[in-house]
Amino acid sequence: QIHLVESGGASVQAGGSLRLSCAASGYDRTNDCMGWFRQAPGKAREGIATIVIGGGMTYYADSVKDRFTISQDNPKNTVYLQMNGLEPEDTAMYYCAAGSRLIATMTWGGCDFGYWGQGTQVTVSS
């Protein structure tokens, strides 16, 4: 079982930057990747970035490529999402997710995700 807690969401103006953090605790022997998703009101949850634990390989949605960067601090069991050049269209609830082949509920970016955080709100004003 893995528990995820996101932080760092805020209200910013267009063009601004934010860094989201996701602190993970617990263990799942099939967890080999982490990711970030977002969901805007009235829209489906969409994957935006994944990272392979330890290996560092990343994958991004086209909508955030070259603006967002996912990274990991393994000793701290923390994953980050650096968001630059924020646009009003980036306004959403952002969720951290951990991979699990045992209880996967969504597959995206080559990772089967089974654990989800509660989310952190990002609001970008024009």
Side-chain angles (χ1 to χ4, degrees), residues 3-123:
H3 183 59
L4 304 170
V5 179
E6 305 97 331
S7 61
S11 296
V12 297
Q13 297 224 322
S17 297
L18 283 174
R19 188 176 81 156
L20 305 183
S21 298
C22 172
S25 59
Y27 176 73
D28 180 324
R29 61 180 173 80
T30 69
N31 172 231
D32 56 7
C33 51
M34 300 287 292
W36 287 94
F37 289 71
R38 67 185 181 187
Q39 187 167 17
K43 294 189 177 181
R45 188 170 296 191
E46 62 171 339
I48 55 176
T50 67
I51 188 165
V52 174
I53 293 174
M57 284 174 24
T58 58
Y59 180 83
Y60 296 95
D62 288 343
S63 58
V64 305
K65 200 175 295 183
D66 299 327
R67 297 189 299 125
F68 292 9
T69 303
I70 187 171
S71 62
Q72 58 187 335
D73 184 334
N74 288 330
K76 294 183 179 179
N77 290 325
T78 301
V79 175
Y80 303 98
L81 184 68
Q82 178 66 44
M83 305 187 294
N84 299 327
L86 284 162
E87 303 167 352
E89 294 72 24
D90 295 317
T91 295
M93 186 72 78
Y94 283 69
Y95 298 91
C96 177
S100 174
R101 289 191 290 279
L102 297 177
I103 60 167
T105 57
M106 180 177 287
T107 297
W108 186 85
C111 183
D112 298 319
F113 292 99
Y115 300 96
W116 300 86
Q118 293 300 304
T120 186
Q121 178 68 38
V122 172
T123 302

